[in-house]
Amino acid sequence: MDDDRYDSKTIEAKWQRVWEDAGAFHVPNPADPAAATRKTYVLEMLPYPSGELHMGHVLNYTLGDVVSHVRRRHGYAVLRPMGYDAFGLPAENAAIREGSNPRISTERNIEAIRRQIKRMGWSIDWAREVSTHEPEYYRWTQWLFLKLYDAGLAYRKEAPVKWCPNDQTVLANEQVIDGRCERCGAEVESRNLEQWMFRITDYADRLLDEMALLESWPERVLTMQRNWIGRSEGAEVTFHIGELDVDVPVFTTRPDTLFGATFFVLAPEHSLVEQLAERSPHADEIRAYARRAAARKGEERAAAVEKTGVFTGFYVTNPVNDAEIPIWVADYVLMEYGTGAIMAVPAHDERDFAFAEQFGLPIVHVVAPEDGEVEEGAAYVAHSENEVLVNSEQFSGMPAPDGKRAIVGWLGERGRGRPAVNYRLRDWLLSRQRYWGCPIPVVHCPACGIVPVPEEDLPVLLPEVEDYMPKGRSPLATATEWLHVPCPSCGGAAERETDTMDTFVDSSWYFLRYTDPLNDREPFDRGMVDYWLPVNQYIGGIEHAILHLMYARFFTKALNDLDLIGFREPFARLFNQGMIYRFGAKMSKSKGNVVSPDELVDEHGADAVRLYILFMGPADQDKEWQETGVEGTSRFIHRLWRVTHDELEREPTGVTTGTPLARKAHATIAKVTDDIERRFVFNTPVSAVMELVNDVSRTPDDPASRFAVETAVSLIQPYAPHVAEELWQRLGHERLWETAWPVADESQLERDTFELVVQVNGKVRDRLVVETGLPEDELVALALASPRVQAHLDGFEVRKTIVVPQKLVNFVVG
RNA sequence: GCCGGGGUGGCGGAACUGGUCAGACGCGCCCGACUUAAAAUCGGGUGGCCUCCGGGCCGUGCGGGUUCGAGCCCCGCCCCCGGCACCA
């Protein structure tokens, strides 16, 4: 190799081999987890092997790599594993597209991704590699499922569920975006099916409250999860239908407006609708309306400009005043939320008001602004602060919050209501009618019902089938030999469950498996998970703000309840990187705007690509890909190379303090360290090192040039580890990856002199170089002595003088 | 409608606790050096307007305010991105 030319290919291959041979990034588990060590767990979301890596992955894993390198060089044992989220729709659909078997295409993709990862030079502990589709892994996914089943947290239930007609499977609510399948974009349908669910709703409150245990999560993610859980406090109030002698509960957040309920509405899907229709003279009309409404999609119903509905001819009794109010059926009431029935208070609810207007129903005001006066001819009154109850018998005059409590209390005493909390969150539907997933380890026995597969029979292997195309029933059903088994309980003929698990089940515990990936007796060792977890820094895309991140939190809490782990939140700190756009759109194959990391690495080397992806801008913001951007960081590497080689021509002086270049180097150490560790920003450190290198090339005769060059090489190592290691070696050192992170000399951050800014009325009029530490009056005297300042003071009276030590003097004149 | 994030040169962005004429660093562009030439590389310039070349005025989405001083704080708007939404 020509020593004077930078060649990324040779250098990167060389150092990747060195690291591998040295086991540089392998971190063994401690023999005694109780012994205090400096350790940290840095984790990035694992990739789906449905294709190759894209620039989003490059950003994700380079971010994690910088954090890992810096922490390692601070003396931490860094757990930094990698794995593959191999099961699931994306991988299976990719296999179908290319007419290949999912296992074969997934494993081929894994190999390609592994090769890409190694080419990028990310510092990973390969001894901990896992893939969710391997029996050694999914055996424990099944084991955990059975633990949740035993605890009553996994159950089977028939319910209206979301069905994707294209992917031929049910979906979790979280996988439906604007009424469409998150994966393929097809419009989802509603079906009544018996499916496997996880009781995540039991954890709704803890998913909210235990956000307090998190060290640092982006506000937007917490907000999204709060919105998704959708907790609202109110009351359940029981209304009575005399004719049927049935009680109908409703949920309301406004029990204070109960006296204003002038009608009552059932969702078209409500079971009482048919019961009422049977006895009603308008039976046909009611049934026709219910059928019409059911046929409309939720979005259509929501978008309707005019409210629709039909009167049933029956009445219900308002429990607070025994008023008989008419029962209507209307599709603005949703069966999925609350109880599917509402009390309508048109004076204080916009939707009820619109309905009342449309059908000429009475409007009664029962809350008013604090003076208690209801405006003449008032219609709908928006909720406001300091309302008081009116027209509410003994409750009139109470401030609304008191009224709420009093009315709910009054109802409670009479058995007609109670405080209640309602959630938007639904249980997690986990079964899928697809081939490429973890088999659900239960057997259906005609005599015993659902029987869990005994632990010792795990894993239930995913059978080989000839045709794995989705057909609405799981392809596993065609594996007849696999399907028919004796019941583990009674020994009679039985059938295996043929649905597979949602891929999000696999990824809800993978971060635990990394701590003990080869364990064949249990999913993980309790001592090791408790030692490494919670993850100190988790990094991944915002697209998982709800899905994966909420499921993983749920799993962690459930496993904690089962006393399998000793912590309640999986990820202490979370960082979401922004999306990378090109030509104004998110990079995607279908839009044809992807930039291939491989091609960029071929052309510029992994170091230049790593530098650019972080230098582009704040890592958490979305940003536009710049075609010529990598050239800039590539040039920087060449410049660093040249500056280092120029330096090698000079005799080292040993000077590390006192010169302008020495001070710049110390300031750069301080800036880079603070940015990465405290501020968690990754673009400005690159700028700072560029400045340092620019300074070296401008002032090569500064005695501290060797120190400045070594500092630049050392600081850039987390970003560009290959070239840094090579230059470090040429500078006569070794193993930069385990060399202590540099520490700035505080005394070098202060200057003997500084530039004093002199302002007149807030405008800068002069800048003077003055000694550090002069008393204020001397600074003022020096400032007054400036002819430029005098020119602006001339003829005016100085009314006030502001002195900011180390910074400026401002004269206020007038 | 509710909640969260954001608006700075031709572009990506910087300014970290209100304090050095806002614009670091990089991209692009312009000029120069090297070259027969080009590329690469190196050096210089690059917010706008005016200029007697000293400098002056304007400028961080819009309008106000607080302050000696505001990109940063407060009030009222506009626009963009994301989440939730006939959720009772």
Side-chain angles (χ1 to χ4, degrees):
Chain A
M1 182 173 93
D2 182 345
D3 269 8
D4 290 317
R5 281 190 66 95
Y6 167 70
D7 177 61
S8 64
K9 285 199 173 59
T10 322
I11 288 170
E12 290 176 1
K14 168 183 166 183
W15 289 103
Q16 284 162 18
R17 204 175 323 112
V18 170
W19 296 327
E20 193 160 343
D21 292 348
F25 309 119
H26 175 55
V27 175
N29 277 346
D32 175 14
T37 46
R38 283 159 69 79
K39 51 93 188 170
T40 190
Y41 189 174
V42 177
L43 182 66
E44 301 103 279
M45 292 178 186
L46 81 181
Y48 284 121
S50 56
E52 300 202 335
L53 295 191
H54 51 72
M55 292 316 292
H57 291 113
V58 173
L59 173 56
N60 195 173
Y61 301 132
T62 305
L63 264 172
D65 211 42
V66 169
V67 174
S68 302
H69 274 302
V70 173
R71 291 195 183 167
R72 231 177 255 125
R73 289 179 60 192
H74 271 305
Y76 284 88
V78 179
L79 179 59
R80 213 293 185 101
M82 184 56 74
Y84 312 95
D85 193 6
F87 271 145
L89 272 184
E92 184 175 355
N93 285 344
I96 290 169
R97 266 197 307 276
E98 47 189 77
S100 152
N101 175 293
R103 184 186 314 278
I104 293 170
S105 84
T106 298
E107 289 181 353
R108 198 195 47 231
N109 287 340
I110 287 176
E111 215 165 295
I113 288 175
R114 189 187 293 120
R115 183 189 53 80
Q116 285 184 299
I117 291 174
K118 294 197 170 177
R119 257 193 109 190
M120 291 306 300
W122 292 319
S123 57
I124 284 155
D125 183 354
W126 288 103
R128 295 175 185 268
E129 190 182 27
V130 304
S131 184
T132 58
H133 78 297
E134 290 165 351
E136 295 76 20
Y137 181 90
Y138 71 71
R139 170 186 181 183
W140 301 113
T141 307
Q142 293 174 341
W143 187 90
L144 290 168
F145 172 88
L146 292 178
K147 291 287 165 199
L148 294 178
Y149 177 78
D150 289 344
L153 291 172
Y155 66 97
R156 230 173 123 77
K157 185 181 128 187
E158 181 174 320
V161 297
K162 314 285 191 193
W163 172 266
C164 173
N166 182 47
D167 285 329
Q168 292 280 302
T169 181
V170 296
L171 299 171
N173 282 357
E174 288 77 13
Q175 287 157 342
V176 179
I177 313 288
D178 295 330
R180 291 175 178 277
C181 170
E182 179 220 18
R183 283 289 145 202
C184 68
E187 270 190 50
V188 302
E189 299 164 2
S190 182
R191 289 197 179 183
N192 255 329
L193 292 170
E194 191 178 289
Q195 296 293 322
W196 282 99
M197 316 285 271
F198 279 135
R199 216 174 284 283
I200 192 172
T201 51
D202 273 12
Y203 287 81
D205 276 327
R206 280 198 271 164
L207 287 166
L208 289 170
D209 297 342
E210 291 179 0
M211 286 179 179
L213 301 177
L214 303 171
E215 239 176 84
S216 169
W217 274 42
E219 199 49 51
R220 59 177 166 162
V221 174
L222 298 176
T223 304
M224 282 162 76
Q225 292 205 2
R226 276 190 210 103
N227 285 343
W228 189 262
I229 295 166
R231 181 190 151 101
S232 48
E233 276 184 52
E236 192 170 286
V237 182
T238 307
F239 284 67
H240 188 77
I241 304 178
E243 254 129 324
L244 297 179
D245 193 29
V246 291
D247 284 335
V248 196
V250 303
F251 175 75
T252 177
T253 55
R254 297 293 307 277
D256 50 322
T257 64
L258 210 38
F259 285 88
T262 55
F263 57 104
F264 190 93
V265 188
L266 294 170
E269 299 85 354
H270 201 286
S271 58
L272 278 175
V273 172
E274 180 49 34
Q275 291 184 47
L276 293 173
E278 274 169 24
R279 297 154 186 253
S280 165
H282 325 291
D284 292 346
E285 208 187 322
I286 296 169
R287 288 187 179 122
Y289 178 78
R291 216 174 309 119
R292 212 163 47 237
R296 294 168 83 196
K297 291 196 181 59
E299 291 70 42
E300 251 179 86
R301 279 163 65 159
V305 186
E306 292 213 327
K307 295 257 185 295
T308 60
V310 60
F311 177 46
T312 60
F314 292 90
Y315 292 81
V316 70
T317 312
N318 185 340
V320 288
N321 57 5
D322 293 331
E324 294 288 311
I325 56 176
I327 304 173
W328 286 68
V329 177
D331 70 359
Y332 81 95
V333 174
L334 309 174
M335 198 58 220
E336 313 82 270
Y337 189 79
T339 63
I342 62 153
M343 62 175 215
V345 183
H348 307 294
D349 181 282
E350 258 181 297
R351 298 151 303 179
D352 298 343
F353 177 73
F355 193 83
E357 288 258 279
Q358 185 124 358
F359 295 98
L361 295 160
I363 297 167
V364 176
H365 287 83
V366 290
V367 292
E370 45 192 333
D371 55 14
E373 292 290 312
V374 178
E375 228 176 285
E376 198 63 35
Y380 163 70
V381 178
H383 182 66
S384 65
E385 304 275 303
N386 306 321
E387 284 177 333
V388 296
L389 272 58
V390 294
N391 298 328
S392 299
E393 300 180 11
Q394 75 267 36
F395 304 101
S396 294
M398 283 187 185
D402 299 346
K404 259 184 202 173
R405 273 188 295 274
I407 290 178
V408 175
W410 186 92
L411 287 167
E413 284 162 22
R414 286 156 186 78
R416 297 178 189 174
R418 56 181 178 85
V421 177
N422 203 47
Y423 302 90
R424 207 189 81 93
L425 181 69
R426 297 280 89 110
D427 274 342
W428 171 13
L429 197 171
L430 71 110
S431 41
R432 297 288 179 272
Q433 290 71 51
R434 296 285 297 230
Y435 173 71
W436 190 234
C438 175
I440 296 173
V442 302
V443 169
H444 296 273
C445 170
C448 315
I450 292 170
V451 182
V453 172
E455 237 179 76
E456 59 274 18
D457 293 342
L458 297 182
V460 174
L461 289 172
L462 182 64
E464 295 294 332
V465 297
E466 299 212 339
D467 181 5
Y468 49 83
M469 291 295 283
K471 292 190 174 60
R473 177 155 191 222
S474 171
L476 270 57
T478 64
T480 44
E481 252 177 65
W482 174 88
L483 184 68
H484 298 287
V485 284
C487 167
S489 175
C490 70
E495 282 192 8
R496 289 191 189 278
E497 167 68 58
T498 57
D499 282 358
T500 53
M501 294 187 212
D502 181 4
T503 179
F504 282 106
V505 181
D506 308 325
S507 58
S508 287
W509 74 282
Y510 77 105
F511 43 91
L512 306 174
R513 182 68 179 173
Y514 281 141
T515 63
D516 196 14
L518 303 177
N519 197 329
D520 59 2
R521 300 173 319 280
E522 49 190 353
F524 41 78
D525 178 86
R526 172 69 188 262
M528 288 309 134
V529 277
D530 286 356
Y531 172 76
W532 287 112
L533 277 279
V535 171
N536 298 87
Q537 184 64 59
Y538 198 32
I539 307 171
I542 187 72
E543 66 274 19
H544 288 115
I546 294 170
L547 290 153
H548 162 59
L549 288 168
M550 204 173 63
Y551 294 149
R553 293 182 65 215
F554 158 65
F555 249 65
T556 302
K557 290 172 197 307
L559 299 186
N560 179 61
D561 280 354
L562 297 173
D563 202 28
L564 292 168
I565 57 177
F567 46 93
R568 292 188 291 185
E569 284 288 343
F571 315 120
R573 299 173 64 89
L574 172 70
F575 184 87
N576 289 116
Q577 83 265 19
M579 299 223 254
I580 298 165
Y581 291 81
R582 187 161 172 241
F583 309 136
K586 193 185 158 184
M587 280 194 196
S588 78
K589 268 187 218 149
S590 58
K591 293 201 185 74
N593 63 347
V594 289
V595 174
S596 150
D598 283 338
E599 284 171 29
L600 281 175
V601 172
D602 284 342
E603 198 175 339
H604 302 283
D607 284 335
V609 175
R610 295 170 52 122
L611 271 169
Y612 179 60
I613 200 78
L614 292 177
F615 179 65
M616 276 177 84
D620 57 346
Q621 273 174 34
D622 293 346
K623 46 206 157 303
E624 178 79 15
W625 180 260
Q626 299 235 315
E627 300 306 318
T628 52
V630 189
E631 287 169 31
T633 51
S634 176
R635 260 175 233 161
F636 164 68
I637 289 173
H638 279 95
R639 162 178 286 196
L640 176 65
W641 182 271
R642 197 183 66 242
V643 164
T644 304
H645 284 83
D646 289 350
E647 175 57 31
L648 285 168
E649 303 290 309
R650 293 190 283 271
E651 258 325 288
T653 59
V655 172
T656 63
T657 56
T659 73
L661 206 44
R663 277 193 288 267
K664 178 70 180 179
H666 285 285
T668 308
I669 294 169
K671 159 104 183 135
V672 170
T673 308
D674 187 58
D675 279 357
I676 295 174
E677 298 192 328
R678 183 181 63 81
R679 298 178 64 208
F680 219 71
V681 300
F682 298 87
N683 52 331
T684 47
V686 181
S687 303
V689 177
M690 285 175 171
E691 281 186 55
L692 177 60
V693 174
N694 288 347
D695 276 11
V696 175
S697 74
R698 275 193 276 264
T699 59
D701 296 331
D702 187 298
S705 60
R706 175 63 58 108
F707 174 66
V709 166
E710 291 191 347
T711 299
V713 169
S714 178
L715 292 177
I716 212 65
Q717 179 267 349
Y719 291 81
H722 311 87
V723 68
E725 206 65 58
E726 178 68 25
L727 292 174
W728 192 246
Q729 189 179 55
R730 291 178 183 221
L731 285 160
H733 312 294
E734 54 182 26
R735 289 186 172 236
L736 181 53
W737 74 82
E738 56 188 28
T739 299
W741 187 252
V743 177
D745 180 340
E746 289 292 326
S747 73
Q748 295 298 301
L749 302 180
E750 287 158 20
R751 309 283 307 267
D752 297 339
T753 59
F754 71 97
E755 209 161 22
L756 178 72
V757 173
V758 186
Q759 299 179 335
V760 176
N761 284 345
K763 293 207 172 191
V764 177
R765 294 303 176 187
D766 203 1
R767 302 193 295 171
L768 309 166
V769 176
V770 304
E771 259 177 70
T772 302
L774 290 179
E776 290 194 9
D777 53 347
E778 278 189 51
L779 291 179
V780 173
L782 284 167
L784 282 173
S786 158
R788 286 161 175 252
V789 173
Q790 276 304 324
H792 286 92
L793 292 180
D794 193 31
F796 296 102
E797 181 197 348
V798 176
R799 290 199 185 147
K800 197 169 170 185
T801 305
I802 287 115
V803 181
V804 182
Q806 298 291 323
K807 292 226 164 77
L808 60 81
V809 174
N810 185 14
F811 296 108
V812 184
V813 302

